[in-house]
C-alpha cells in the first residue's frame, strides 16, 4: 500500500506559478513511477507529467511542455510539479499517482495508487 497526499494548490493569476508536492508513505522502498494527472469540471482525467524512480525518464503532455517541470526527492519520498506561466485552461484538480514500474506511462489505468487531489484555479 502507498498513501499519496498532494499539497500546494490554490488560486493564482494568469502567468503565475505554483509548486505542487506529493508526499508518499507506506511501500516507498519499492521503485515507482510518479505521475501527475488533472481533471477539469466536465472533462476526463488527463495526463500531465511522469517521472521514473531515478529521474532519467520524464514525459510531459504537449499542453504543459515547456511550462511545467516534474521532479522528485526519493530520500524525502516526495514528488513535485513546478507549474509556471499558468493559464486559465490549467484550472483543474491535480492528482499524483504511483505506478510500481520503472516505465513511465501516460495512461491513468496503469497507476496503482492515487492521492486525493488538490485544486488549482487560474484566474484570467
Amino acid at each position: 500500500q502507498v498513501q499519496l497526499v498532494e499539497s500546494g494548490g490554490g488560486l493564482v493569476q494568469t502567468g503565475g506559478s505554483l509548486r505542487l508536492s506529493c508526499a508518499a508513505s507506506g511501500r516507498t522502498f519499492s521503485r515507482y513511477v510518479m505521475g501527475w494527472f488533472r481533471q477539469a469540471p466536465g472533462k476526463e482525467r488527463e495526463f500531465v507529467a511522469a517521472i521514473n524512480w531515478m529521474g532519467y525518464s520524464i514525459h510531459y503532455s504537449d499542453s504543459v511542455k515547456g511550462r511545467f517541470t516534474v521532479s522528485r526527492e526519493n530520500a524525502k519520498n516526495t514528488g513535485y510539479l513546478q507549474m509556471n506561466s499558468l493559464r486559465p485552461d490549467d484550472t483543474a484538480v491535480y492528482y499524483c499517482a504511483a505506478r510500481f514500474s520503472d516505465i513511465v506511462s501516460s495512461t491513468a489505468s496503469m497507476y496503482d495508487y492515487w492521492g486525493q487531489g488538490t485544486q488549482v484555479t487560474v484566474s484570467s
Side-chain angles (χ1 to χ4, degrees):
Q1 287 276 2
V2 172
Q3 294 77 44
L4 302 171
V5 179
E6 302 96 336
S7 61
L11 174 64
V12 64
Q13 292 186 330
T14 296
S17 298
L18 283 174
R19 188 194 197 201
L20 305 183
S21 298
C22 177
S25 61
R27 186 185 158 189
T28 55
F29 54 85
S30 299
R31 296 189 171 201
Y32 58 93
V33 167
M34 182 169 284
W36 290 91
F37 292 76
R38 66 187 182 185
Q39 188 166 18
K43 295 187 176 181
E44 292 188 354
R45 190 168 298 190
E46 67 168 343
F47 171 75
V48 175
I51 182 170
N52 75 335
W53 179 259
M54 293 302 292
Y56 61 78
S57 181
I58 294 174
H59 183 50
Y60 295 100
S61 68
D62 288 343
S63 61
V64 308
K65 197 173 296 182
R67 300 187 298 123
F68 290 12
T69 302
V70 64
S71 62
R72 63 192 298 167
E73 287 187 79
N74 293 334
K76 296 183 178 181
N77 295 319
T78 302
Y80 306 97
L81 185 67
Q82 177 67 44
M83 306 186 295
N84 298 329
S85 302
L86 283 162
R87 310 183 305 218
D89 61 357
D90 293 317
T91 295
V93 176
Y94 283 71
Y95 299 89
C96 66
R99 176 178 190 233
F100 283 100
S101 167
D102 208 36
I103 301 173
V104 298
S105 174
S106 60
T107 304
S109 62
M110 299 298 288
Y111 287 79
D112 303 294
Y113 297 97
W114 292 81
Q116 83 291 346
T118 186
Q119 176 71 47
V120 171
T121 303
V122 185
S123 63
S124 57

